[in-house]
Amino acid sequence: GQNIDQPTEMTATEGAIVQINCTYQTSGFNGLFWYQQHAGEAPTFLSYNVLDGLEEKGRFSSFLSRSKGYSYLLLKELQMKDSASYLCAATDSNYQLIWGAGTKLIIKP
Amino acid sequence: NAGVTQTPKFRVLKTGQSMTLLCAQDMNHEYMYWYRQDPGMGLRLIHYSVGEGTTAKGEVPDGYNVSRLKKQNFLLGLESAAPSQTSVYFCASSYSYGLRNTGELFFGEGSRLTVL
């Protein structure tokens, strides 16, 4: 079956660094998305990885290992506004998105 | 720049009532989707469309119908609402996948539906 696993909740301190992991099993694989969703709002796009390696975009970076079926989202210099859920989604061979349940990130002062 | 707009934002229905959720996008996207989001679960695809006049079933299509008569609009209908359909519904749109496009989804603000 197709499955995405990510931690349910994480807590971190303002100004620190946090890594949110995601493992996936899909029928074929074309790429992996990370979305941010603040409570009561729509998901918004953060990153898309197709090739192995780290892609950096400001304070946020995303890593992919296709051989291990593994990705992580790295958030640096955490700010209170980073408190949100982070959704991992993989595209299968038909470009259909398989979504994880999301990781709720709580930032403490 | 409106992006993806959903109406209504909130609705309370009684079991057995019908309703339609409207999604409109102004980005000329070919692909449109309807998802539901429930606590503790990932987004689940209800139906999607790859172009005007086409629709296809997603992961959880039972109890829902859709239509895509115009490229910019994607309607989701509930013919006889059930309490199990209480959820937050998100519409999304995207370009088709290709070398230049990531297939990034653009979401509407969501429609919170409660069925009593």
Side-chain angles (χ1 to χ4, degrees):
Chain A
Q2 307 202 98
N3 192 52
I4 304 283
D5 284 319
Q6 53 182 131
T8 302
E9 187 173 297
M10 299 181 70
T11 302
T13 304
E14 189 176 16
I17 299 173
V18 71
Q19 178 176 311
I20 302 174
N21 297 324
C22 170
T23 58
Y24 62 88
Q25 288 181 306
T26 55
S27 302
F29 176 78
N30 279 300
L32 190 124
F33 288 91
W34 284 97
Y35 283 78
Q36 181 190 58
Q37 185 178 24
H38 285 102
E41 298 184 9
T44 55
F45 172 81
L46 288 177
S47 67
Y48 179 59
N49 292 65
V50 176
L51 302 176
D52 285 357
L54 185 69
E55 292 200 6
E56 299 186 64
K57 194 184 294 185
R59 294 188 298 113
F60 292 10
S61 302
S62 56
F63 171 84
L64 177 66
S65 169
R66 295 175 69 115
S67 62
K68 294 182 179 179
Y70 167 68
S71 173
Y72 68 72
L73 181 68
L74 191 69
L75 291 74
K76 302 177 183 177
E77 301 171 12
L78 287 169
Q79 302 175 10
M80 296 304 293
K81 67 178 182 179
D82 297 330
S83 292
S85 289
Y86 291 86
L87 313 180
C88 172
T91 52
D92 66 12
S93 55
N94 295 318
Y95 287 99
Q96 295 297 319
L97 275 170
I98 313 301
W99 293 86
T103 298
K104 183 178 181 180
L105 178 63
I106 300 169
I107 310 296
K108 295 185 174 180
Chain B
N1 202 6
V4 180
T5 304
Q6 292 179 229
T7 53
K9 298 287 190 294
F10 302 92
R11 185 74 187 269
V12 177
L13 289 176
K14 293 181 180 178
T15 298
Q17 287 185 318
S18 63
M19 75 159 296
T20 300
L21 296 175
L22 171 63
C23 177
Q25 53 95 2
D26 62 0
M27 296 173 283
N28 201 33
H29 286 169
E30 291 291 338
Y31 287 40
M32 296 188 74
Y33 313 81
W34 276 107
Y35 284 95
R36 59 178 291 173
Q37 187 174 43
D38 301 293
M41 303 182 73
L43 287 163
R44 291 185 290 169
L45 183 63
I46 303 170
H47 287 279
Y48 65 99
S49 169
V50 300
E52 180 178 316
T54 72
T55 63
K57 294 180 179 180
E59 180 186 356
V60 288
D62 294 343
Y64 305 94
N65 56 73
V66 288
S67 64
R68 183 102 181 264
L69 299 180
K70 294 183 178 181
K71 185 177 183 179
Q72 63 268 34
N73 295 336
F74 195 29
L75 277 64
L76 177 71
L78 286 71
E79 292 185 343
S80 180
S84 60
Q85 294 178 304
T86 294
S87 187
V88 179
Y89 291 85
F90 284 101
C91 176
S93 69
S94 70
Y95 293 107
S96 58
Y97 285 91
L99 291 176
R100 297 180 184 176
N101 300 317
T102 64
E104 168 193 351
L105 296 184
F106 295 81
F107 284 87
E109 293 182 346
S111 299
R112 186 174 296 274
L113 176 65
T114 301
V115 183
L116 302 176

